[in-house]
Amino acid sequence: MNTQKTIMVIEDEQRIAHVLESLLSDDGYSVVSVATGAQALEAADSYLPDVFLLDLGLPDADGLMILKKLRQRTARPIIIVSARTREREKVMALDLGADDYVTKPFGAKELKARIRSALRHSTINQMGDALEKTEYSCGDLVVDYRNSKVIKSGADMHLTNVEYQIVSLISRACGKVLTYDSIIASIWGPYANADNNRILRVNMANIRRKIEDNPATPRYIFTEVGVGYRMAAENIAQPPDDR
Amino acid sequence: MKSPFSRISPHTYKDIALIFAAPAAVLFASALTALVGNGLALHTALTALVILAFSQYVHTAGRRMLLTWLSVTAFAVAALFSWPVGARPPLVLVIGIVVCLLLIGRLTVNLRQMIEEQQKKSDLESERRQMMSEFNTRLMLARGMEEIGKELLLAIFELSGRSSVLFMANGGCAARVGARPAGLIIFKHELAAVCEAARRGKMVGVGTGICTFSPFRYYPLSIENKVMCVVGVLLGTEGYDEPSVQLIDQLIQRGAIAFERQVLIDEQQDIITEKHMEQLRANFLRAVSHDLRSPLAAIVGACAALEQSLGDTPNTRQLLADIREESVWLTHMVENLLSVTRVSAEGPKLSLSAEAAEEIVGEAAYKCVTRFPSLKLNVAVPDQVIILRMDATLITQVILNLVENAVKYGGGSSVELTVVRRGRDAVFAVRDYGDGVPQEKMEDIFAGKGYEAGDSRHGLGIGLSICRTVVLAHGGDIWVENCPEGGARFSFSLPVEEEDS
């Protein structure tokens, strides 16, 4: 890492904040830790952190409100760290603009992997803003946006139109969890119904059979159970246990 | 109801007085007319007047008739004997007048009778209306099925004078909950008719052509096509009058409406209570998850941080690894406990959604590998996509528990996790290569007994019993078998969502 990245930890629980600080600073990140939503909004302007870790259970305000306000100020990745495990809450947070979601208690490895993934995603996006992205590549897999093709180890995987649209959508947002509803809305339009949920699952299963070695232990497209899908961040072939 | 004695006393003496006063008045009138001179016409008119006037105040037709007779006799006597012999009116004329007077008396009596009957009828009608409205009010005030039933039976008894009995229908059987009069004897075989009414949802018994052996007619009261109770009204086998049956129909209808209203009220109450409970539960869950998870996260994280920053001090590293492992185990336990709360608290209302089986297996496999880094987990899913309706979090937990079980008791480090389609079910299986499950444990391995049997501190009995609870709540089945080539296979099945297209 050539420049030091700043991570802002918004967490009211002293111990967890402390653990996160020591875990992350050991990895060479600079960590700013605040305990309330108000401080978070203030510090976001002065420190310009590269990644936010946001706990939804804050003492002074609803975490989702803070998330919304943060999202209005910055395009940097926001990862939710929360003890709330209901899918509904995850989906709400993701739809409000969060990039990813980690539930407490989290594994240290997992959290770090997700931070890395989010950082890569945001760096690429910043570069990508300048010129239109032409492809996504990760390990053996290449999504060729110009020719609308998905290529694995040099061979065309022959995805159907809908399958390609799904892959294209989530690969452009790689590293970020896209909720089922947001995927359905982008592919099938706002008049989608409950059936589309099922169709999405079937399509995803077919995509996995084409691009993954074992559809149950995916390397490229990950399932966030009950929430949505996330494509692996670009350029790094991840082992199955490092999402 | 008025007793026969109360009817005698006040009127009878007055009536007797009037009956005797009338002929006296006639005689007096004849004396008066005699003074006037030839006043036969006047006398006749006065007599008619007396009859009309006096019979107004006399009760019952018989007494009025008696009064008329006596007055006419008095008239005849006066007409024939009070006059001087020469001026005596001819007998024929007197007889003619007597007949006329009697006719007038008769007509008055009839007219009077008709008026009275009409009066009585309208009195009855208004009384009935009064009772009906009272019944309605009482129904409105009645709280609970039983009270409504009681009011209904009372009303049937008061308004139609018939005995009745109330049964609560419960599935195929019926239980007597009340009768009017309370001691009404119901023969055992009547229950057959009651059940028939409950089953058909139609009237049975007298006059319906069904179960005609019964002297009762049974009215089923149903709410949303489900028969809640049956009211039996004793009509008798040999005949009943149509108006009273209509009245009973009306009463029963009102009773049915009241029952329906009660059910709605109850439902509303239930919803409010449930909402409240839900709120409490949700709060409790949030509290538990927050209170238990946060410290665990801190412990696990702190260990990881320490392990990372410490140099090569094997002893300390080992201790740290132990702390972390135990914390992870505790975390897992908390997840399991939360699963139980989720299933038992929400009962049949799991938050189901359509999920692809392979995604759940994938998620569980990922969690397993994170927890047991040295585990060699082989995962196989079918080519055909299987979509299931399930609570994904809970099923993931089930698979995780089964794999953990396989790791702990399966000896080796290799575990197979598969899912296949079998008929209308998807069968998930976790197979290990250990010694298998001892025969004597096969029976109640899912019953949570392993815990009591002192199977070390890691009471996996709990884990397996949670698996069972979750799978059964999904309408599936769970079982264990020993493979012929060694090792145990824990399997569970879930019903596959039917494809409509």
Side-chain angles (χ1 to χ4, degrees):
Chain A
M1 221 155 290
N2 37 21
T3 54
Q4 198 184 32
K5 300 282 185 190
T6 308
I7 299 180
M8 185 153 113
V9 176
I10 307 156
E11 166 71 76
D12 62 316
E13 203 105 354
Q14 274 292 308
R15 293 198 183 85
I16 301 224
H18 191 72
V19 164
L20 287 173
E21 263 174 53
S22 66
L23 267 179
L24 297 174
S25 51
D26 281 356
D27 272 17
Y29 297 108
S30 118
V31 181
V32 180
S33 164
V34 294
T36 65
Q39 287 171 4
L41 295 176
E42 229 171 77
D45 290 336
S46 42
Y47 288 93
L48 296 174
D50 296 289
V51 180
F52 294 85
L53 295 184
L54 173 63
D55 179 14
L56 285 187
L58 291 173
D60 62 330
D62 180 27
L64 291 175
M65 275 311 290
I66 301 295
L67 169 63
K68 220 169 152 184
K69 285 185 184 160
L70 274 179
R71 197 30 99 216
Q72 285 163 4
R73 286 159 198 243
T74 174
R76 300 278 165 82
I78 301 175
I79 301 177
I80 304 295
V81 180
S82 173
R84 304 184 191 177
T85 51
R86 293 277 158 145
E87 281 84 17
R88 199 162 30 89
E89 282 160 342
K90 293 189 195 178
V91 169
M92 252 201 275
L94 291 169
D95 283 343
L96 277 176
D99 288 74
D100 207 342
Y101 198 110
V102 181
T103 27
K104 282 182 195 170
F106 45 82
K109 253 199 210 165
E110 181 181 348
L111 180 68
K112 284 193 263 182
R114 291 197 182 216
I115 290 173
R116 281 201 300 277
S117 171
L119 274 172
R120 276 196 297 267
H121 171 216
S122 98
T123 331
I124 289 160
N125 261 11
Q126 278 161 23
M127 299 190 307
D129 282 344
L131 76 168
E132 183 66 20
K133 268 177 77 175
T134 56
E135 65 168 41
Y136 159 95
S137 84
C138 174
D140 299 339
L141 190 76
V142 176
V143 182
D144 183 346
Y145 297 131
R146 275 176 305 190
N147 300 316
S148 304
K149 273 193 171 101
V150 175
I151 294 151
K152 190 184 170 193
S153 312
D156 187 356
M157 289 292 107
H158 299 292
L159 266 60
T160 65
N161 188 27
V162 171
E163 285 166 8
Y164 171 76
Q165 280 184 46
I166 296 172
V167 172
S168 154
L169 179 72
I170 59 176
S171 62
R172 281 174 204 270
C174 62
K176 181 173 170 13
V177 179
L178 293 185
T179 60
Y180 296 133
D181 285 349
S182 69
I183 297 174
I184 289 169
S186 332
I187 306 278
W188 286 283
Y191 300 111
N193 56 35
D195 264 359
N196 289 102
N197 199 15
R198 192 194 170 84
I199 296 170
L200 174 62
R201 305 306 168 95
V202 174
N203 271 302
M204 183 52 73
N206 291 334
I207 293 168
R208 286 214 173 102
R209 275 169 184 68
K210 288 176 183 171
I211 66 171
E212 303 280 3
D213 298 329
N214 183 347
T217 50
R219 292 169 57 219
Y220 302 112
I221 301 175
F222 305 116
T223 310
E224 298 292 329
V225 168
V227 177
Y229 294 110
R230 182 166 58 88
M231 192 105 181
E234 222 169 332
N235 286 330
I236 312 290
Q238 296 177 331
D241 65 335
D242 180 44
R243 288 192 187 180
Chain B
M1 288 281 137
K2 291 165 190 160
S3 91
F5 297 103
S6 68
R7 203 178 252 179
I8 283 182
S9 41
H11 305 308
T12 311
Y13 302 111
K14 200 177 88 189
D15 287 358
I16 292 171
L18 281 170
I19 287 168
F20 288 104
V26 171
L27 289 177
F28 180 66
S30 78
L32 276 181
T33 49
L35 286 181
V36 176
N38 188 6
L40 184 62
L42 184 61
H43 190 202
T44 311
L46 281 175
T47 309
L49 198 66
V50 166
I51 292 173
L52 286 177
F54 278 60
S55 64
Q56 287 297 316
Y57 300 99
V58 176
H59 299 82
T60 76
R63 288 176 195 175
R64 267 177 224 134
M65 233 26 240
L66 182 64
L67 184 143
T68 310
W69 277 101
L70 286 177
S71 307
V72 170
T73 311
F75 166 80
V77 168
L80 290 177
F81 300 104
S82 66
W83 297 76
V85 181
R88 205 170 280 174
L91 186 64
V92 184
L93 184 60
V94 173
I95 291 174
I97 292 172
V98 163
V99 171
C100 282
L101 284 176
L102 282 178
L103 271 175
I104 287 173
R106 178 82 228 173
L107 279 175
T108 322
V109 169
N110 282 356
L111 196 69
R112 181 76 197 172
Q113 208 162 5
M114 256 159 67
I115 290 170
E116 256 170 31
E117 256 166 36
Q118 203 64 41
Q119 185 77 32
K120 218 175 180 177
K121 222 181 194 171
S122 76
D123 276 0
L124 204 70
E125 192 67 25
S126 76
E127 192 184 359
R128 187 168 277 184
R129 211 171 291 137
Q130 174 91 26
M131 281 169 98
M132 203 62 133
S133 89
E134 251 174 53
F135 169 57
N136 266 348
T137 323
R138 288 202 308 248
L139 273 185
M140 291 291 271
L141 292 175
R143 285 283 164 269
M145 296 292 184
E146 210 138 304
E147 214 170 306
I148 292 174
K150 230 187 244 170
E151 292 297 345
L152 179 59
L153 297 188
L154 181 68
I156 291 173
F157 188 73
E158 281 187 348
L159 285 163
S160 75
R162 298 197 182 266
S163 305
S164 54
V165 58
L166 176 71
F167 294 91
M168 281 290 166
N170 191 2
C173 55
R176 171 176 168 162
V177 290
R180 190 94 197 172
L184 188 66
I185 293 165
I186 308 287
F187 292 114
K188 271 241 169 75
H189 63 256
E190 292 290 337
L191 279 178
V194 175
C195 292
E196 193 63 19
R199 199 177 58 77
R200 291 180 185 236
K202 283 201 299 199
M203 271 195 314
V204 309
V206 182
T208 61
I210 311 164
C211 296
T212 43
F213 61 81
S214 165
F216 285 84
R217 182 181 283 184
Y218 292 103
Y219 298 82
L221 301 186
S222 47
I223 292 155
E224 283 164 4
N225 292 328
K226 191 171 166 272
V227 177
M228 300 293 287
C229 54
V230 177
V231 179
V233 182
L234 185 62
L235 293 178
T237 36
E238 62 274 342
Y240 46 84
D241 54 323
E242 216 36 60
S244 84
V245 170
Q246 275 172 10
L247 173 70
I248 291 167
D249 281 350
Q250 243 177 51
L251 292 175
I252 300 246
Q253 256 170 28
R254 291 184 190 204
I257 292 168
F259 271 117
E260 198 149 4
R261 208 176 113 261
Q262 184 65 39
V263 167
L264 283 179
I265 291 173
D266 286 353
E267 266 173 15
Q268 217 161 11
Q269 197 62 43
D270 281 357
I271 288 170
I272 292 169
T273 330
E274 204 173 319
K275 234 181 187 169
H276 185 63
M277 290 296 289
E278 192 85 7
Q279 195 69 41
L280 285 179
R281 229 178 270 140
N283 290 347
F284 176 71
L285 268 181
R286 202 166 301 136
V288 167
S289 47
H290 201 260
D291 287 2
L292 291 178
R293 284 182 168 162
S294 298
L296 280 170
I299 295 172
V300 176
C303 293
L306 272 176
E307 273 181 273
Q308 191 175 280
S309 62
L310 272 180
D312 252 348
T313 42
N315 200 19
T316 328
R317 274 187 163 264
Q318 184 55 49
L319 286 175
L320 268 176
D322 286 350
I323 296 175
R324 194 170 48 109
E325 203 173 289
E326 294 300 285
S327 314
V328 169
W329 181 82
L330 266 177
T331 309
H332 181 58
M333 204 64 209
V334 168
E335 298 299 321
N336 261 343
L337 288 178
L338 280 175
S339 304
V340 171
T341 345
R342 203 158 156 175
V343 177
S344 56
E346 294 177 21
K349 277 174 268 157
L350 297 166
S351 59
L352 298 177
S353 59
E355 303 284 350
E358 60 198 49
E359 291 181 358
I360 304 305
V361 167
E363 169 76 8
Y366 165 73
K367 282 195 169 162
C368 293
V369 170
T370 327
R371 272 207 65 196
F372 308 106
S374 60
L375 172 70
K376 192 170 152 19
L377 184 68
N378 296 317
V379 187
V381 295
D383 285 340
Q384 194 76 42
V385 187
I386 305 176
I387 305 274
L388 300 160
R389 282 191 73 75
M390 63 163 101
D391 185 316
T393 319
L394 289 177
I395 296 298
T396 312
Q397 189 71 20
V398 167
I399 300 176
L400 190 55
N401 280 345
L402 292 180
V403 172
E404 181 181 28
N405 188 48
V407 170
K408 287 256 150 75
Y409 296 95
S413 59
S414 179
V415 172
E416 258 172 36
L417 170 58
T418 55
V419 55
V420 291
R421 173 105 191 224
R422 199 176 290 162
R424 310 187 92 182
D425 289 337
V427 178
F428 297 75
V430 174
R431 196 208 163 182
D432 61 49
Y433 293 88
D435 302 329
V437 181
Q439 206 58 46
E440 70 270 14
K441 275 200 170 181
M442 281 275 192
E443 281 284 302
D444 48 18
I445 191 161
F446 294 110
K449 291 274 173 60
Y451 190 61
E452 293 164 28
D455 247 351
S456 85
R457 175 187 54 96
H458 296 289
L460 276 164
I462 286 188
L464 288 179
S465 79
I466 287 166
C467 292
R468 181 163 165 271
T469 314
V470 170
V471 170
L472 292 188
H474 280 81
D477 197 9
I478 188 165
W479 66 94
V480 61
E481 63 209 328
N482 284 325
C483 301
E485 59 271 24
R489 181 190 284 127
F490 285 81
S491 315
F492 67 94
S493 65
L494 296 178
V496 173
E497 183 169 58
E498 290 308 315
E499 280 175 68
D500 302 329
S501 48

